[in-house]
Amino acid sequence: MKEERRLPVSAQGACGKIQRRGSESVKGVVFTTNNKMYVKDFEEPLYQSVGKVVDGGVEIVHPKGLKAPYCFAVNEEGLLNRLRINVLGSVWYQTHVHGCPIVGNIVVLKDGFTDGEPDIVGLSEEEILEIKAIANDISDGTIEEVHM
């Protein structure tokens, strides 16, 4: 059974306080449907900046093949919109077990806390390197890193 959570559509919501201190951005790793990956700084509000990358409304999923606290931001209507399958995302999501694929671009972020409340937070440099290494291992090096 998959765990899901959606980023809030407004400034209020259980999974994301939209206003952070200062101009702090949130770093995530984007994996595209054409086997490219890149690190991106996302600005507030996250539902808009992440939504642009996943091309629509944002849904948070917790893939069983990627250890906690990591999560994916995906297009919540990707299957309805017939987006292309994201092979790496589907491997991490263990589509081979339950048959439900991950489609469209994904953004790897993580669960955390902001001001003591549950939130979606960015990745540290070490976590970014870990995610890239795992992706390269799974894909046998076929994922191309691009710098944007």
Side-chain angles (χ1 to χ4, degrees):
M1 176 148 300
K2 73 178 184 179
E3 283 184 52
E4 304 177 349
R5 208 167 62 200
R6 292 193 171 116
L7 284 173
V9 191
S10 67
Q12 305 298 315
C15 68
K17 287 175 60 178
I18 299 304
Q19 298 177 7
R20 297 180 199 275
R21 288 178 280 214
S23 61
E24 179 181 336
S25 64
V26 173
K27 283 188 186 237
V29 183
V30 177
F31 293 92
T32 69
T33 57
N34 58 349
N35 289 331
K36 296 192 184 328
M37 70 175 161
Y38 60 93
V39 176
K40 180 162 177 57
D41 289 318
F42 293 95
E43 300 298 326
E44 299 294 347
L46 285 180
Y47 74 92
Q48 286 181 345
S49 61
V50 172
K52 287 179 185 175
V53 171
V54 300
D55 196 27
V58 176
E59 180 177 356
I60 300 298
V61 297
H62 295 84
K64 299 289 185 200
L66 198 55
K67 69 180 182 175
Y70 299 120
C71 61
F72 288 168
V74 301
N75 183 311
E76 67 183 347
E77 294 181 336
L79 289 172
L80 292 172
N81 293 329
R82 298 181 176 191
L83 297 180
R84 293 179 56 196
I85 290 179
N86 189 305
V87 176
L88 180 65
S90 294
V91 169
W92 271 331
Y93 195 58
Q94 297 186 348
T95 297
H96 63 283
V97 174
H98 49 72
C100 186
I102 294 294
V103 297
N105 294 339
I106 63 172
V107 180
V108 177
L109 298 162
K110 70 178 181 179
D111 289 317
F113 292 88
T114 300
D115 295 332
E117 295 186 28
D119 202 354
I120 301 300
V121 299
L123 304 176
S124 69
E125 292 301 322
E126 295 84 22
E127 291 165 332
I128 289 169
L129 291 174
E130 178 183 19
I131 293 296
K132 288 179 182 181
I134 294 168
N136 278 317
D137 285 347
I138 289 172
S139 71
D140 288 328
T142 60
I143 293 187
E144 177 187 354
E145 184 170 1
V146 294
H147 300 280
M148 311 226 15

